[in-house]
Amino acid sequence: MEKKIVSPCISICKTDPVTGYCYGCARTNYEKKKWKDENTLIEWKEDNLKIIITRMRGWQLETFKESYDHKKNKGISLFKKKLLENK
């Protein structure tokens, strides 16, 4: 069975105009597109996940880790879960 890695998107999709990184997942637009490409290797995704985590500090890192862990375990990020609950 093929190993699968969950996208680091935590549904906070807004790009910092200074760094070019997403506030939620710290990926560039190029990295986001590469994650969606079905030909992207699992090794690239694992390496990219390590890279984006090094871009985060403080509350951003804490929020990401908490929400990403929830997404891996429950299939939905905490931010998206709260959005759906408030509808």
Side-chain angles (χ1 to χ4, degrees), residues 2-8 35 40-50 68 72:
E2 187 182 332
K3 186 177 172 186
K4 193 155 167 58
I5 186 165
V6 175
S7 164
W35 269 87
T40 299
L41 298 174
I42 191 89
E43 292 80 13
W44 184 91
K45 290 180 178 183
E46 290 171 335
D47 288 343
N48 186 247
L49 195 53
K50 291 173 190 166
Y68 188 59
K72 288 189 294 186

Side-chain angles (χ1 to χ4, degrees), residues 26 48-57 61 64-65:
N48 186 247
L49 195 53
K50 291 173 190 166
I51 290 166
I52 65 174
I53 287 172
T54 67
R55 294 176 183 160
M56 298 181 212
R57 299 281 181 273
L61 181 59
F64 174 79
K65 284 184 173 179

Side-chain angles (χ1 to χ4, degrees), residues 30-43:
Y30 168 78
E31 290 166 331
K32 290 176 187 180
K33 287 178 188 152
K34 190 135 168 100
W35 269 87
K36 289 181 181 178
D37 183 344
E38 62 187 36
N39 297 315
T40 299
L41 298 174
I42 191 89
E43 292 80 13

Side-chain angles (χ1 to χ4, degrees), residues 2 8 11-12 24 34 36 40 48-49 54 56 66 71-73 76 79-80 82 84:
E2 187 182 332
S11 303
I12 301 172
K34 190 135 168 100
K36 289 181 181 178
T40 299
N48 186 247
L49 195 53
T54 67
M56 298 181 212
E66 182 181 11
K71 183 177 180 180
K72 288 189 294 186
N73 294 322
I76 188 170
F79 185 75
K80 195 168 200 172
K82 287 177 183 160
L84 293 172

